[in-house]
Amino acid sequence: MAAVGPATRHIQVAEHPRLLKLKEMFKSKFGSLPKFYVRAPGRVNIIGEHIDYCGYSVLPMAVEQDMLIAVEPVKTHIIQLANTNPLYPDYTTSANNIQIDKTNPLWHNYFLCGFKGIQEHFDLSNLTGMNCLVDGNIPPSSGLSSSSALVCCAGLVTLTALGMSLSKVELAEICAKSERYIGTEGGGMDQSISFLAEEGAAKLIEFSPLRATDVKLPSAAVFVIANSCVEMNKAATSHFNIRVMECRLAAKLLAKYKNLQWEEVMRLEEVQAKLGVSLEEMLLITEDALHAEPYSAEEICKSLEISLEELRTQILSPNTQDVLNFKLYQRAKHVYSEAARVVQFKKICEEAPANVIQLLGELMNQSHVSCRDLYECSCPELDQLVDICRKFGAQGSRLTGAGWGGCTVSIVPADKLPSFLANVQEAYYQRSDQSSVPEKQNLFATKPGGGALVFLEG
Ligand code: ADP
Ligand code: NG1
């Protein structure tokens, strides 16, 4: 094991209370000391929801909350995982026999995704084991990417334990691919920002090839995260993958309508690129080519001239093969309009007109309406929270992350922040069912944080 990787810091553990506590817990758990530590942050997506897996750019920033792992490589082939949170039980496996259980996505499976990604990238067969103690403070299943932070952290842990090196872009691409072993067909936003984030700037993340460009947010605005306290685990339900498949099918039908080689087309962005037209034109083409009534599997098969068996086994994911109806028009309309909002958001940040907060807020509000009505990934609690945030001073508010629960992100003028926090706290959180969760974890202002790091002591 050597000091390797894209971002390594030498630190005095004694000066960092969380690391020190983790070190002490590690010692009492494994009877030895960690050799290094890795952190990977969660993220909040400011705008660009459910479009990364369609090939479109998104605009997230890393949050301060992260996954932190203390690690000791060992000479055996055994991986021992423990967690500071008793909700997540200990797990032991052989490094040479990694089994990821899609049917029951328990926490250790996310670690194994990151581990397996590195193992496969280097085509390694005989890996040494390690002892790991995990400490996370990202609210789980809440749209702030706790799962990807764990996958990315595990990937960087494995790379560091092996003494090998990769660029941040390579790490992000490996972890985006390997998180799919859990069964969700995500697009890569979360892993990209977890590695490529830099303190002080949100990032425009573009795909194929993966790139991250700084986006300077207006200094007079604060971005506030509010948790609806409804949890939704992506891998345990089919909501997420159904949307990915609806977009895939919409892309294929649009491509066929335009006489393109539809068999090769997987993403809505590819249709636009092949036609060489604007996003606005793609919206018009969607209106001509697709109908608003849901498509049955039979109708899709008829349009694409394929059998039901081919649709199920060659296009759909395992957990969506029994879906009967697909809303293609609404999903494509959301994706093309949301992709255009990301472009506008970045442009407004760059131009910084006098009413910059109002303009950005309007785009965020439009994004929420589109997620709620066209993409149907909101829920009553999120809609209520968004309304409350707007009522108490947010210029814009929207669900963030996958949705169906989880968090909202709001843009709030800095001078209104104290009253905004107090009023939202009272209106949403002082209800009996939310009172057990400490207030600061549910409602907090956030700033663009830094990306994944390896810490070495001394
Ligand atoms: P998210 O939107 O936060 O990525 P997911 O539902 O996709 O939500 O993933 C949440 C899962 O990630 C949890 O069910 C758990 O398995 C894992 N996870 C989250 N936080 C932790 C943690 N602190 N320790 C271990 N596993 C965690
Ligand atoms: P979260 O919110 O972390 O579940 C998911 C996907 C993203 C993206 C968003 C929606 C994964 C790992 N993450 O994020 O890629 O599609 O939903 O914008 O699949």
Side-chain angles (χ1 to χ4, degrees):
M1 205 269 301
V4 290
T8 303
R9 297 266 188 288
H10 286 266
I11 46 132
Q12 297 304 323
V13 169
E15 292 168 11
H16 300 268
R18 185 167 163 222
L19 281 172
L20 185 60
K21 198 167 159 214
L22 194 62
K23 182 179 174 179
E24 280 159 8
M25 284 179 82
F26 189 100
K27 194 170 170 216
S28 69
K29 179 82 197 167
F30 296 112
S32 50
L33 289 174
K35 292 287 181 298
F36 64 94
Y37 305 80
V38 176
R39 62 94 54 173
R43 61 99 186 97
V44 58
N45 189 21
I46 301 172
I47 197 157
E49 221 59 82
H50 286 281
I51 61 171
D52 59 346
Y53 52 77
C54 298
Y56 284 110
S57 308
V58 291
L59 213 157
M61 60 180 167
V63 291
E64 179 196 326
Q65 289 83 346
D66 61 12
M67 212 54 75
L68 179 64
I69 309 187
V71 191
E72 178 197 25
V74 294
K75 293 209 161 54
T76 68
H77 295 299
I78 304 298
I79 299 175
Q80 288 199 76
L81 303 179
N83 201 298
T84 57
N85 184 338
L87 277 179
Y88 302 114
D90 291 358
Y91 177 80
T92 301
T93 186
S94 160
N96 298 326
N97 181 29
I98 299 299
Q99 305 285 340
I100 297 171
D101 186 358
K102 291 184 183 186
T103 58
N104 188 15
L106 297 175
W107 78 279
H108 59 261
N109 288 292
Y110 295 92
F111 183 99
L112 298 180
C113 285
F115 183 88
K116 191 173 156 119
I118 298 296
Q119 188 181 31
E120 286 189 346
H121 179 81
F122 290 108
D123 200 15
L124 302 169
S125 50
N126 204 17
L127 279 170
T128 55
M130 50 191 164
N131 294 330
C132 294
L133 179 59
V134 177
D135 182 54
N137 57 16
I138 308 164
S141 301
S142 300
L144 301 183
S145 273
S146 66
S147 61
S148 304
L150 182 49
V151 173
C152 293
C153 208
L156 189 50
V157 161
T158 310
L159 185 76
T160 310
L162 289 167
M164 297 175 106
S165 184
L166 286 169
S167 72
K168 293 180 189 188
V169 165
E170 286 170 315
L171 271 165
E173 287 178 333
I174 291 168
C175 291
K177 185 172 155 228
S178 68
E179 186 162 347
R180 296 193 193 113
Y181 293 135
I182 205 82
T184 47
E185 301 274 341
M189 157 168 62
D190 309 346
Q191 302 83 0
S192 303
I193 192 71
S194 195
F195 284 113
L196 301 174
E198 287 171 311
E199 211 167 320
K203 295 278 183 182
L204 180 81
I205 305 280
E206 296 167 273
F207 301 98
S208 314
L210 177 59
R211 276 169 297 170
T213 314
D214 282 5
V215 176
K216 198 174 172 301
L217 300 171
S219 54
V222 180
F223 288 84
V224 179
I225 294 173
N227 195 337
S228 71
C229 302
V230 177
E231 288 191 6
M232 202 290 288
N233 183 294
K234 277 192 309 295
T237 61
S238 56
H239 299 319
F240 185 82
N241 278 1
I242 290 175
R243 292 295 176 276
V244 182
M245 295 307 133
E246 286 175 318
C247 290
R248 183 178 291 177
L249 291 171
K252 287 184 182 292
L253 262 71
L254 286 172
K256 181 128 198 302
Y257 178 80
K258 284 289 184 184
N259 297 316
L260 300 173
Q261 288 287 322
W262 67 266
E263 292 89 344
E264 295 163 14
V265 170
M266 296 292 276
R267 297 167 177 211
L268 285 164
E269 187 273 339
E270 290 163 32
V271 184
Q272 187 197 359
K274 283 184 195 293
L275 293 176
V277 299
S278 68
L279 286 164
E280 291 65 32
E281 282 170 279
M282 280 316 303
L283 283 165
L284 296 176
I285 292 170
T286 301
E287 281 169 22
D288 287 342
L290 302 177
H291 57 68
E293 296 74 36
Y295 284 72
S296 66
E298 287 73 17
E299 184 182 358
I300 289 168
C301 290
K302 205 168 154 204
S303 302
L304 297 178
E305 298 171 73
I306 55 171
S307 68
L308 210 50
E309 186 59 16
E310 283 169 317
L311 173 70
R312 288 194 174 132
T313 56
Q314 289 171 28
I315 301 182
L316 299 178
S317 69
N319 70 341
T320 58
Q321 295 187 353
D322 297 325
V323 176
L324 299 176
N325 289 302
F326 301 88
K327 290 193 181 174
L328 307 189
Y329 172 87
Q330 293 84 345
R331 311 314 183 214
K333 290 267 281 190
H334 165 77
V335 170
Y336 290 128
S337 62
E338 185 75 355
R341 281 187 285 274
V342 173
V343 176
Q344 286 171 41
F345 194 99
K346 179 169 180 275
K347 191 159 172 269
I348 293 166
C349 286
E350 282 163 359
E351 290 169 357
N355 58 345
V356 59
I357 301 182
Q358 181 203 332
L359 294 177
L360 297 181
E362 280 167 13
L363 288 173
M364 290 172 70
N365 287 337
Q366 288 165 17
S367 170
H368 184 77
V369 169
S370 185
C371 283
R372 184 192 66 201
D373 298 343
L374 292 175
Y375 220 70
E376 296 177 280
C377 62
S378 190
C379 66
E381 292 84 352
L382 277 171
D383 294 338
Q384 187 200 0
L385 189 51
V386 156
D387 287 345
I388 289 173
C389 291
R390 287 181 196 149
K391 181 173 163 197
F392 292 116
Q395 293 280 304
S397 186
R398 55 180 296 277
L399 69 84
T400 186
W404 296 283
C407 293
T408 62
V409 57
S410 303
I411 183 168
V412 180
D415 57 348
K416 289 205 179 135
L417 183 65
S419 64
F420 174 82
L421 293 175
N423 286 322
V424 174
Q425 177 65 35
E426 191 179 328
Y428 191 79
Y429 297 100
Q430 279 169 13
R431 303 180 325 189
S432 55
D433 52 333
Q434 318 293 7
S435 59
S436 61
V437 188
E439 139 192 356
K440 260 185 83 179
Q441 287 174 24
N442 283 331
L443 181 64
F444 53 91
T446 190
K447 292 195 291 262
L453 285 175
V454 178
F455 299 116
L456 293 170
E457 193 160 11

